[in-house]
Amino acid sequence: MLPEPDSDLCRDLAADLRSAGFTAEALRDAWGAAADDAIARGLRSPASRALGDRGDALAVLGRLLVLGMPQAAASVDQALSRTGAAGLARLGLAEIDHEVRPLAVVRPQSYADASGSGQWWIASDLDEAALGGPLPEDHVLGVGGASLTLAGLQLPTPAGRALDIGAGCGIQALRARAHVDHVVATDISPRALAFTRLNALLNGIDGIEVRLGSLFEPVVGEQFDRVVSNPPFVITPRVADVPAYEYRDGGMVGDDVVAAFVTGVGAHLAPGGVAQLLGNWETRDGVAGLERVRGWVDSSPVPLDAWVVERERLDPLSYAELWVRDGGTLPGTPGFARLVDAWLDDFAARAVTEVGFGYLLLRRPADGSPTLGRYETLHTALPGEGLGAHLAAALEAHDRFRTLDDPGLAASVLVVAPDVTEARHHLPGAEDPTVIELRQGGGFGRSLGVDPGLAALVGACDGDLAVGVLIDAIADLLEVEAGALRADLLPRVRELVFTGFLRFA
């Protein structure tokens, strides 16, 4: 167990890391892009080889705190002039015998959203490469792809109180605190909460309160403006010889932990409050995963708006191999085939044919009447930062449309989003295109086939004329009846505004 973090020591360590230039960019420059990418795959030797025998502070701290390699005490004392090796030991991040041996990693993590960019230092448990074998079941995970995805999805709009369920190392709580006055971070792991406290102090962030417990147990009777969770959603066989990693296994059968979150979160959302989470869901007994998620939303005791995006689907074998490897048991090593078989037996018992992964945005309507129910599959690669701002803009557009009828929309002035491009495909020698596509560089990177009428309308939305005026002019050009064209285009205009192709001027 980590000791209670000392705030003065955390400030000293932050100052030392800052003085050493201990940033993600500097480390990537020091050992190269290929070695940096290899670290994410559990390979540390390319980075170590690139550093060679360098003894400067950045190299020493890179080996010790990122790669998890022991270093000479004198070198650590020189690299951390305020904290020293003894200070790292008092924080529970290292132990000292004849050298300094790391007990945790501290890795710089850059971030950016619509409000700006910055960098944190995130402490977490040693990974498989540093441990030289499978992870212990109480392992506290650092910042991975899923946690970065959820951090980027968080709404960058101000709010009063937020709840982070399954805080882990605290990355979601840190991200939420940038826009929320106070964050309650919960976890079933005391060790995870200790890392959350440490990381808040290390980065000089106050207003984060930690509580021990599962799901909504630590916040009975409380409501929040935001709830965010990267819950332990990994579907794990409930048998004795399968490791139950706290950071990924919620202790329930199948996808029950995500179902419990969806059906229980409404009571803890203030009116207008938004919950965002990642999750897995099973296609079971012929019922598609997204349909099962819809059933959870519909069965919530508190009515909810819902926007669910499925990003990926895996067959049971691929899913089993993914998570067995994630725990540090690799193909060809003892136990790999046995663990895979345990997963396959578990899926077969529930007639599971696929497992989906995606994002859920749930909102408690301020007036108690849900109007948003969107369940979609999007397999395109995400364009990067800014999804949180995109989601916030989509919700704002949806709410505006609730009171904007078709005549009101026709009177509105719209502009094309700056990330939208158009592609036209012609058969050789043909004057008219056979396919017209609108492509989105931001948001979810959607690509949409459109007809000449809608393409003409989008192209004419430059913030000058109202939508109705533009449709009438296009009707004249296409020699079609204006009323019929309005009836056809206006619903699609609403969709284009919601998805970010068009914006109100």
Side-chain angles (χ1 to χ4, degrees), residues 283-486:
T283 292
R284 185 192 297 178
D285 287 323
V287 181
L290 281 179
E291 286 306 306
R292 297 186 63 246
V293 176
R294 188 194 300 269
W296 302 337
V297 173
D298 292 344
S299 63
S300 168
V302 177
L304 296 172
D305 285 325
W307 184 3
V308 182
V309 176
E310 185 175 72
R311 295 290 303 163
E312 185 177 9
R313 293 183 199 143
L314 293 177
D315 61 80
L317 177 57
S318 298
Y319 189 89
E321 290 183 288
L322 170 66
W323 292 111
V324 173
R325 287 195 305 268
D326 177 80
T329 303
L330 302 178
T333 60
F336 183 84
R338 176 185 58 79
L339 288 173
V340 169
D341 283 341
W343 251 275
L344 296 180
D345 289 343
D346 182 59
F347 285 135
R350 293 189 302 280
V352 174
T353 56
E354 277 187 325
V355 180
F357 168 83
Y359 331 133
L360 301 89
L361 185 152
L362 307 169
R363 181 173 65 168
R364 182 173 184 171
D367 62 1
S369 301
T371 56
L372 177 61
R374 190 179 181 100
Y375 301 83
E376 56 184 325
T377 299
L378 294 171
H379 293 317
T380 54
L382 296 183
E385 300 287 351
L387 267 175
H390 173 73
L391 297 178
L395 291 178
E396 182 181 357
H398 173 80
D399 293 340
R400 185 167 181 174
F401 282 139
R402 292 183 63 182
T403 57
L404 189 66
D405 58 13
D406 281 354
L409 178 57
S412 301
V413 177
L414 303 176
V415 295
V416 182
D419 62 306
V420 172
T421 57
E422 181 185 275
R424 294 184 175 231
H425 304 269
H426 296 74
L427 292 173
E431 181 178 352
D432 296 324
T434 55
V435 177
I436 306 174
E437 282 185 315
L438 297 178
R439 296 174 179 172
Q440 185 180 50
F444 282 109
R446 299 175 191 264
S447 180
L448 180 67
V450 297
D451 55 44
L454 186 57
L457 176 60
V458 171
C461 285
D462 58 5
D464 187 14
L465 298 176
V467 170
V469 175
L470 295 175
I471 292 177
D472 290 344
I474 293 168
D476 286 340
L477 287 173
L478 297 179
E479 298 180 345
V480 298
E481 200 273 318
L485 190 60
R486 283 195 185 209

Side-chain angles (χ1 to χ4, degrees), residues 27 30-31 46-55 58-60 62-63 67:
L27 288 168
W31 49 48
S48 176
R49 290 166 61 91
L51 291 178
D53 58 359
R54 282 177 50 176
L58 182 66
V60 170
R63 294 189 197 96
L67 303 182

